């Protein structure tokens, strides 16, 4: 099937995926961190205190995701996603109206759980389950919403922040979220049934079986993947979370830094499309071990950048992994562990990534308060991604032969 025919025949489902990943942006760090300066000023918080609050709320989100992610094995997207969108609308209103710092962990939990957690999870599980032969293409298209959000939401809202109060902008975010509900219902008037599809699918995992979550947790490959799941979530999040501070350290205007986001997004889209194309032809086993090598270069560029050119190179390297990270890990779970329990298994992976996004801002924020510069930290981060690459390579090479085994 040609790409145009694929897009035409599957437009409603793919568009629903794009919508969900785009709307998840209001709970993503790249959006919340836009308001870091205003939030810290309004509630008189240090970098470490704000990072700690963010860590607390996000960690709680990760814990709840372990249970809530499994709901995608039981309910249709058409039933589950509107409920999450209503909750996201409430979370945005909560941020806009919250009067005290003590409630900030609850606000962050609400935004992270609905946005980064469930909205993203619902979208990628649906694509991985609904599509088999074209899984890579489906994930590439659906996750374009992430890229569009990263490219335009920061630029638009940072510009609006120059004119409007930050709390008013969260009311705007709530309005956009609630408008997504009728649009999603329109796109999914006719929806595939995940559970019945999963039961009849021949998309099995290793040893020609559908793995349960318990079996997955007991398998060596899962634990070899954990550092790689934590890494991008932790340190991408930390980078965008501290973008205001990073701009100050590099002596560039914040708006000048976010002006690079569209280029970052364009490269990420290219990497996303290329990785989706390669995925359908080569499989995740051949591609996954190389996915995080660009992160090593990205954080070294950020550490040693002395001008906008090196910063831009850092963004481009970061985008290569970010784009591939939208397709390869999501397809990995279906390819290696099957689709019958994909929601529950992917929920564990999502919880680990959410936990990583909790650790990153808190850890780096405390380090800043202790006098460890952000540039020094990024050299250490680059070394961490060397470690994750080695771990993935070992794990995947050991597990790959099991894909061709029969019980």
């Amino acid at each position: 099937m040609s790409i145009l025919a694929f897009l035409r025949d599957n437009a409603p489902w793919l568009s629903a995926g794009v919508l969900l990943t785009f709307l998840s942006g209001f709970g993503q760090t790249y959006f919340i961190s836009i308001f870091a300066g205003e939030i810290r000023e309004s509630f008189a918080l240090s970098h470490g205190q704000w990072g700690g609050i963010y860590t607390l709320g996000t960690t709680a989100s990760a814990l709840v995701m372990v249970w809530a992610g499994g709901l995608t094995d039981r309910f249709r997207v058409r039933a589950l996603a509107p409920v999450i969108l209503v909750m996201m609308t409430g979370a945005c209103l909560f941020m806009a109206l919250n009067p005290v710092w003590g409630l900030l962990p609850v606000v962050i939990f609400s935004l992270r759980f609905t946005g980064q957690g469930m909205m993203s999870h619902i979208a990628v599980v649906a694509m991985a389950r609904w599509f088999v032969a074209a899984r890579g293409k489906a994930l590439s298209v659906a996750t374009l919403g992430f890229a569009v959000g990263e490219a335009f939401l920061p630029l638009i809202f940072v510009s609006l922040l120059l004119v409007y109060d930050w709390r008013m902008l969260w009311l705007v975010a709530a309005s956009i979220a609630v408008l997504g509900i009728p649009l999603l219902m329109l796109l999914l008037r006719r929806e595939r049934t995940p559970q019945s599809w999963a039961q009849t699918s021949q998309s099995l995992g290793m040893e020609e079986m559908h793995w349960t979550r318990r079996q997955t947790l007991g398998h060596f490959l899962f634990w070899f993947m954990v550092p790689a799941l934590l890494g991008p979530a932790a340190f991408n999040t930390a980078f965008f979370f501290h973008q205001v501070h990073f701009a100050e350290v590099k002596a560039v205007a914040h708006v000048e830094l976010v002006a690079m986001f569209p280029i970052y997004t364009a490269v990420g889209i290219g990497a996303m499309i290329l990785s989706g194309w390669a995925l359908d032809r080569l499989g995740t086993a051949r591609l996954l071990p190389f996915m995080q090598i660009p992160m090593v270069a990205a954080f070294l560029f950020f550490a040693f950048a002395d001008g906008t050119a090196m910063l831009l190179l850092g963004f481009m390297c970061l985008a290569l992994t970010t784009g591939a990270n939208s397709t390869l890990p999501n397809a990995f779970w279906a390819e290696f562990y099957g689709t019958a329990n994909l929601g529950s298994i992917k929920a564990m992976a999502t919880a680990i990534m959410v936990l990583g996004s909790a650790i990153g801002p808190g850890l780096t924020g405390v380090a800043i308060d202790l006098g460890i510069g952000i540039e020094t930290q990024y050299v250490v981060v680059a070394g961490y991604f060397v470690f994750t690459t080695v771990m993935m390579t070992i794990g995947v090479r050991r597990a790959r032969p099991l894909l061709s085994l029969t019980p």
Side-chain angles (χ1 to χ4, degrees), residues 72-315:
T72 54
D73 290 332
R74 300 172 55 194
F75 298 99
R76 296 184 178 204
V77 176
R78 190 175 187 273
L80 184 58
V83 174
I84 301 300
L85 276 171
V86 170
M87 294 171 65
M88 173 179 279
T89 302
C92 292
L93 291 173
F94 196 2
M95 177 64 93
L97 303 175
N98 174 40
V100 294
W101 74 268
L103 290 176
L104 277 176
V106 184
V107 176
I108 297 302
F109 162 78
S110 303
L111 288 169
R112 302 294 274 161
F113 172 70
T114 56
Q116 185 209 23
M118 286 301 292
M119 294 292 288
S120 302
H121 179 69
I122 291 169
V124 298
V125 167
M127 295 303 109
R129 177 173 280 148
W130 288 344
F131 299 92
V132 181
R135 183 176 288 138
K137 286 196 289 287
L139 285 166
S140 294
V141 173
T143 53
L144 283 173
F146 290 131
V148 173
E150 285 179 339
F152 296 108
L153 288 177
L155 194 57
I156 291 170
F157 277 81
V158 167
S159 300
L160 291 173
L161 200 54
L162 298 174
V163 181
Y164 298 101
D165 181 72
W166 68 276
R167 294 181 183 273
M168 182 176 293
L169 297 184
W170 278 101
L171 295 177
V172 173
S175 301
I176 296 172
V178 77
L179 288 174
I181 298 173
L183 180 55
L184 182 69
M185 298 296 286
L186 179 65
L187 291 170
L188 296 181
R189 286 177 298 177
R190 182 170 63 90
E191 186 191 358
R192 310 179 192 201
T193 305
Q195 188 60 33
S196 64
W197 188 92
Q199 291 170 353
T200 60
S201 170
Q202 297 304 307
S203 181
L204 303 172
M206 292 176 290
E207 301 180 11
E208 295 296 316
M209 58 183 279
H210 286 299
W211 292 65
T212 65
R213 182 157 71 179
R214 181 185 294 272
Q215 291 170 327
T216 300
L217 290 172
H219 191 252
F220 72 86
L221 180 57
F222 179 85
W223 298 104
F224 273 86
M225 287 295 297
V226 166
L229 294 171
L230 283 169
F235 299 115
N236 272 30
T237 300
F239 176 78
F240 286 104
F241 184 80
H242 293 297
Q243 61 182 269
V244 175
H245 175 69
F246 183 69
E248 293 172 356
V249 169
K250 293 299 181 181
V252 298
H254 186 202
V255 71
E256 186 178 358
L257 187 70
V258 299
M260 298 182 190
F261 288 10
I263 298 173
Y264 161 79
T265 300
V267 175
I269 290 173
M272 187 189 309
I273 294 170
L274 181 61
S275 64
W277 173 85
L279 168 62
D280 290 336
R281 286 156 179 78
L282 302 175
T284 57
R286 292 176 178 166
L287 300 173
L288 201 64
F290 304 100
M291 181 181 68
Q292 294 185 0
I293 292 175
M295 296 287 274
V296 178
F299 280 95
L300 289 177
F301 277 126
F302 290 143
F304 297 109
D306 58 359
T308 55
M310 288 185 70
L311 288 175
L312 189 57
L313 285 173
F315 272 111

Side-chain angles (χ1 to χ4, degrees), residues 29 33-34 36 40 46-48 50-52 234-249 254 257 359-369 374 377-378:
T29 298
S33 63
I34 291 169
R40 288 196 299 108
S46 70
H47 288 288
W50 169 227
F235 299 115
N236 272 30
T237 300
F239 176 78
F240 286 104
F241 184 80
H242 293 297
Q243 61 182 269
V244 175
H245 175 69
F246 183 69
E248 293 172 356
V249 169
H254 186 202
L257 187 70
I359 294 171
L363 184 64
T364 52
V366 169
I368 291 171
D369 283 356
I374 198 75
Q377 293 184 47
Y378 286 165

